[in-house]
Amino acid sequence: MSSIVVYCRLSRSVAVRCYSTSLEQARYAIKEHNSRINALAHVTAKGEISPTTDGPLSGWAVAIKSNLATETAPTSCASHSLAEFISPYTATAVTALERAGALVVGSANMDEFGMGSKTQYSIYGPTYNPSGSSKTSHSPGGSSGGSAAAVASGMCRIALGSDTGGSVRLPAAWCGVVGFKPSYGRISRFGLVSYGSSLDSVGILARSVSDIRSAYRAIAIPDSNDMTCMSASLRTRIDRLGRSRSWITEQKAKPLEGVRIGIPQEFWVDELSDNALRVWRDGAQKLEQLGCEIVGVSLPHIPHTLPAYYTLALAEASSNLARYDGVRFGTRHKCPDTANLANASLKYAQTRSHGLGAEVQRRILLGTYVMSAAACQHYYLPSQRIRRLVQTEFNRVFALPNALCLSKFEVKERSTAVDALLFPTSTDTAPKQNTDGDECPVSSYVNDVMTVPANLAGIPAISVPSGSCNGLPLGLQLAAQYGDDELLLQIAHHFQTA
């Protein structure tokens, strides 16, 4: 019996417990699991996979979220409006992966244009959590649920997703894998279809922090095609600041001795389940055993981040998605009535009504409203103020200064600051996947309550598997100062492997 057959028989009912180390294993897992899980919307034919090149990711199977441009598969964003769109170029992050030797095995399913928390708003149908039994179908999270499910079921070793308000970290927590959102600008957004431009980040999912770190180092490079991408000089400045912390660079008896972890009290929300609270406490004790000092911190404006996030994200989405009108981008809807419409606006409306799903239309309408003259002063501008206050509060609690704030560039006193924060990724385990369409849309927005602060502040955050309840995984989230991605990955690695 071949090793491939043994590998797949061990992983038929639940998520694969070991890494996909070859293209052959990944393709076998796709054949075995994708029909049930629906993680990949498009599978790359064997003959279309480019020969591997020597590099740190040589031979690694990788899945790409369907909103990252590739020249070999539709960049559909799981939407009818882009179902047949083939990009004329490849996203910088995907190109960097291929140069490092990775092999793209397919495009991952997602919520349409990244708008959702359960991967249920897709023209390809919903994705299901590999951790659920065959009798129950749970959500993998969203909007990068296809990427998370593909990693968890062994269809790829790593996957790329996009994280606007937790779209990488929430699926990672619910599927039992690692999900990393880097600092805003660390990874180029060139080739990523925009949802909220000031919030979007390309994220990475894998079974281990070690694999995340390898992929991150391959694709976190300056890119002149993206004006929001960190420059080489800014990266050098951040590295220099990081090396100035003596308590991090010194050799210690315990792997994380000298590191101070903050526990933000504002994340203890009413919706937090007993299981998530138990995992949070166990995680703090685990870090303490690794040598960390655990302290309480306060971020007073965290309770306001969810409404502020949805105000800002939907306002930006309303602008970004205006281009899908059937003229500039998107498939133009053709019907007898359209030919007789004299009003051009009505022609656009016909195309957008048929090309965009109900959830996308809902968010465009809300975003258009908050940017109107009557509502801007009451919603949009106060949300921008809350965002700045949240950024200031994160800068206050972290020992490493924010490299974007040029006024103060010294490391803070250890008695008043921390190196990273620890808090839950989700309030509970994955819910059932709702396919009836009778769920209140607002209820799914609450799933992002733990993840949106990192996007508003632009700081790096990573979700690490930390426990389970009734066979469904739970994750804990670590966050660090803007640009302090390497320290965050170091802490997460020790946390996962301890």
Side-chain angles (χ1 to χ4, degrees), residues 21-172:
T21 55
S22 73
L23 177 63
E24 186 180 1
Q25 288 175 337
R27 293 188 64 82
Y28 202 105
I30 292 170
K31 181 180 178 181
E32 289 287 298
H33 300 297
N34 199 48
S35 59
R36 179 177 74 87
I37 297 171
N38 195 27
L40 298 183
H42 176 270
V43 178
T44 307
K46 190 172 183 179
E48 295 176 356
I49 297 178
S50 303
T52 184
T53 58
D54 292 335
L57 311 182
S58 182
W60 288 24
V62 58
I64 306 298
K65 190 175 179 180
S66 295
N67 61 349
L68 282 160
T70 62
E71 299 173 68
T72 56
T75 306
S76 68
C77 297
S79 175
H80 284 296
S81 63
L82 292 176
E84 300 176 1
F85 175 68
I86 302 294
S87 172
Y89 60 87
T90 298
T92 297
V94 179
T95 300
L97 280 179
E98 292 177 331
R99 287 176 179 171
L103 304 172
V104 178
V105 296
S107 301
N109 199 9
M110 59 179 286
D111 283 301
E112 185 178 6
F113 283 104
M115 298 182 184
S117 299
K118 292 185 177 180
T119 313
Q120 61 183 349
Y121 305 119
S122 169
I123 61 171
Y124 306 112
T127 295
Y128 296 99
N129 195 323
S131 300
S133 67
S134 57
K135 296 181 180 180
T136 58
S137 300
H138 289 81
S139 167
S143 62
S144 303
S147 298
V151 172
S153 57
M155 299 181 195
C156 55
R157 183 162 179 174
I158 58 173
L160 290 187
S162 63
D163 194 308
T164 306
S167 296
V168 163
R169 290 160 287 149
L170 182 64

Side-chain angles (χ1 to χ4, degrees), residues 322-336:
R323 70 194 69 172
Y324 303 108
D325 54 13
V327 178
R328 291 168 291 182
F329 289 95
T331 301
R332 186 180 303 182
H333 178 68
K334 297 179 180 180
C335 69

Side-chain angles (χ1 to χ4, degrees), residues 115 164 195-196 199 308-318:
M115 298 182 184
T164 306
Y195 167 12
L199 300 161
Y309 162 79
Y310 272 103
T311 300
L312 298 174
L314 301 193
E316 295 185 18
S318 174

Side-chain angles (χ1 to χ4, degrees), residues 203-225:
I204 312 169
L205 300 101
R207 295 302 300 270
S208 73
V209 179
S210 177
D211 285 352
I212 293 275
R213 184 160 50 187
S214 297
Y216 166 73
R217 290 175 176 174
I219 66 178
I221 53 177
D223 181 18
S224 59
N225 291 316

